[in-house]
Structures are given as structure tokens and as C-alpha cells.
């Protein structure tokens, strides 16, 4: 598999920490010190599907492809306004694709799961050109009076087009069956037979537990995929980690004994955008010209589940 196109899209509404401090008992100082986040983008009059379609079109353009060239669409999404049809169907309709499509929910690890599925589809001969779109609105999952969660998230979409190739050197995904550390529940339509009590609960997160799991799983997964790729950690030019918290990124770098410069980040401007965070960062770096042919990249993510995943690939896209 190889990545031949990238794209991203952000909502226009920028919300700074000072804006949050107007209605929450919080401060720019607390949020920056604990998370690195300075501002985030929030959906206001747009729908998530608008961002998803925008990111998808940009990735197709960047790959020099049209929707008719795509054999499969995978959309990673945790929540959006449509329960059905899936977000991938909405993207499919908007870009006028003619291939099958599916949504996956592996929480913040969705991009790595989608890459792995894409590789499997290619290996099985079921698809050659695959559009992966990660589109998320986690700001609609949190309680906006809970300062411990609502300050952390932002909305956004990132996309890639992949085709056959040998750039992907190693990939892994895991699940640790820790469903209580990060969870949100919603009420479904009642039926005459549903007798159990249902509750609409905003996102509940055991922050420190998630933090510890995130650092240890990222360190473990990165070591494993780099070794599986037949490389040393020092061979990796950039480690693109799920952008949840700058301290998690720094801790992982410290545990791997790698220099800070190898850990690009943009969490300060977007907050935690769930599975969209790595493809958004990748697209930003690609657009800036940071990525050179032959660069070795490692991705690593973690999320509710507790899902984790990582991969190593060699960059071959010419800008
Ligand atoms: O995609 C995966 C998503 N999640 C994550 O990656 C989150 C991982 N966890 C974290 O990043 C950190 O645990 C947090 C940033 C969420 C919290 O940082 P912490 O250093 O673990 O803080 P804490 O939860 O131990 O809270 C320390 C204090 C508490 O006050 P008291 O009890 O010491 O008086 C909190 O009530 O900070 C308080 N606090 C806040 N204060 C100001 C919590 N949120 C805020 C806030 N502003 N926004």
C-alpha cells in the first residue's frame, strides 16, 4: 500500500481557551500546561459531512484522481448527526463514487484500523484505489459544563487516497477490553418491549487512566512496528502520534529516547479531533513540504475501547 493523496478540512469557528474561560471555571494557563491546546475548531452551521466531503475531494485532487477511480471508501467516524445512512454513504453520494463504502468506529485509532483494512482489501485483490476519510465531531459528545472533558476536543476531517505499493512496512492494531475508561451512551427510540432504563450520558473519561494507557501502548506499539519493519527507532524521520495531548506526545518521545523534533504536532490549534488527528497532521505536513521521498514515518494512536494501533511506512509521494 502507498499513500498518493492527502486532504483535510476544518470548521471555520475558532474557540480559544479564553473564550471557554468565559463560561467555565478554567484558564488558558491550566489548559495549555496540562494539554498544550490553545484553541480548537468547532462545527457551527456546517454539518460534519460537509467537512468529510471537503477533505475527501482534496485528497482525490492531491492524488490526481476522480471518484470514479476509487474502488472502496472507508470512513472512520465515532458520531455524527446521521445514525443511518453511514457517513461513507453521504461522502459517496457527494463525490459521485460508484464503489462500495463502509464506516468503521475504532474511536481515535480509526485511521490505523482503516489503513490496515485497506491493505487487507488490496492484498485480497478486492480493491486497488481506496479513499479513507476520518471525520469526527467529538465536541458533540461532551458535557459543555464539564471542564475536565469539553476543553480537550475539536472537530475536523482528514483524508488519504491509497493505492497498491510497498510503502507500508508494518502495521498492528489491538484492543485491551477497557471499556470503562472512555465511554458515552445515548438513548435509542423506545419500543413497547424495551424495559431497561436507558440514559443519555455525555462522554465520561478517566483522564489519568487514559493518559497512562496512551503512553504505554504507544511506546509498546511503536517499538513493535519499527522492529517488524526491520528498522531501528533512529531510522524514523517523523513519529505522527494521535493528537490528544502534547504531554502524551512528549512522554512517548521521552520513553523512546527520540528527539522532540521528530514528533510534529498541531494539537495546540485543533484539540483532540479523534481519528481525524493523524490524517489532518499528515496533510498539513504534506502541504508544507515537510515530507520528502524516502522519509520513514511511524503513526501511533489510542482511543476508547481501549483500541490502539501503529504502523511504519516509507513516504514516496512527490509534492
Ligand atoms: O483520545 C483520547 C482522549 N483522552 C486523552 O487523551 C486524555 C488523557 N488524559 C489527560 O490528558 C489528562 O488526564 C487531563 C488533561 C484530562 C487532565 O489532566 P490531569 O493532570 O490528569 O488533571 P486531573 O484530572 O488530575 O485534575 C487536576 C485538577 C482537578 O482539580 P482538584 O481536584 O485537584 O481540585 C480538576 O478538577 O484540575 C482540575 N481540572 C481543571 N481545572 C481547570 C480539570 N479540568 C480542568 C480545567 N480547568 N479545564
Amino acid at each position: 500500500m502507498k499513500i498518493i493523496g492527502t486532504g483535510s478540512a476544518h470548521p471555520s469557528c475558532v474557540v480559544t481557551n479564553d473564550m471557554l474561560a468565559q463560561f467555565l471555571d478554567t484558564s488558558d494557563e491550566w489548559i495549555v500546561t496540562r494539554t498544550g491546546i490553545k484553541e480548537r475548531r468547532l462545527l457551527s452551521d456546517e454539518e460534519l459531512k460537509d467537512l468529510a466531503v471537503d477533505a475527501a475531494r482534496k485528497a482525490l485532487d492531491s492524488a490526481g484522481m476522480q471518484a470514479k477511480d476509487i474502488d472502496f471508501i472507508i470512513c472512520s467516524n465515532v458520531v455524527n448527526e446521521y445514525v443511518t445512512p453511514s457517513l461513507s454513504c453521504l461522502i459517496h453520494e457527494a463525490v459521485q463514487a460508484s464503489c462500495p463504502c463502509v464506516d468503521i468506529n475504532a474511536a481515535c485509532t480509526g485511521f490505523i484500523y482503516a489503513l490496515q483494512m485497506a491493505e487487507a482489501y488490496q492484498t485480497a485483490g478486492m480493491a486497488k484505489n481506496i479513499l479513507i476519510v476520518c471525520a469526527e465531531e467529538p465536541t458533540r459528545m461532551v458535557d459543555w459544563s464539564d471542564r475536565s472533558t469539553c476543553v480537550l476536543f475539536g472537530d475536523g476531517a482528514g483524508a488519504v487516497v491509497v493505492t497498491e505499493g510497498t510503502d507500508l512496512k508494518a502495521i498492528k492494531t489491538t484492543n485491551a477490553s477497557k471499556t470503562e475508561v472512555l465511554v458515552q451512551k445515548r438513548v435509542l427510540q423506545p419500543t413497547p418491549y424495551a424495559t431497561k432504563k436507558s440514559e443519555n450520558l455525555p462522554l465520561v473519561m478517566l483522564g489519568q487512566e487514559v493518559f497512562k494507557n496512551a503512553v504505554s501502548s504507544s511506546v509498546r506499539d511503536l517499538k513493535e512496528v519499527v522492529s517488524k519493519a526491520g528498522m531501528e527507532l533512529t531510522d524514523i524521520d517523523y513519529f505522527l502520534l494521535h493528537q490528544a495531548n502534547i504531554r502524551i506526545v512528549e512522554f512517548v518521545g521521552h520513553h523512546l529516547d527520540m528527539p522532540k523534533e521528530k514528533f510534529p504536532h498541531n494539537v495546540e490549534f485543533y484539540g483532540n479531533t479523534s481519528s481525524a488527528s493523524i490524517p489532518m497532521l499528515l496533510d498539513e505536513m504534506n502541504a508544507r513540504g515537510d515530507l520528502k521521498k524516502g522519509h520513514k514515518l511511524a503513526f501511533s494512536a489510542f482511543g476508547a475501547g481501549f483500541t490502539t494501533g501503529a504502523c511504519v511506512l516509507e513516504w514516496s509521494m512527490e509534492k
Side-chain angles (χ1 to χ4, degrees), residues 24-27 30-31 34-35 108 146-149 151-153 182 203 205-212 214 242-245 247-248 272 274 302-304 306:
L24 282 172
D25 180 15
T26 190
S27 65
W30 192 96
I31 301 172
R34 304 278 177 136
T35 71
C108 305
D146 175 8
R147 65 179 184 174
S148 70
T149 51
V151 305
L152 304 174
F153 296 95
L182 199 48
L203 186 81
M205 181 175 68
L206 304 180
Q208 294 189 0
E209 186 76 13
V210 174
F211 195 105
K212 278 187 239 151
H242 167 44
Q243 302 287 295
N245 180 321
R247 283 166 58 226
I248 296 177
N272 179 347
S274 189
F302 55 87
F306 193 83

Side-chain angles (χ1 to χ4, degrees), residues 7 59 102 112 116 171 217 290:
V102 71
I112 314 285
Q116 194 178 42
I171 188 160
S217 63
D290 295 349

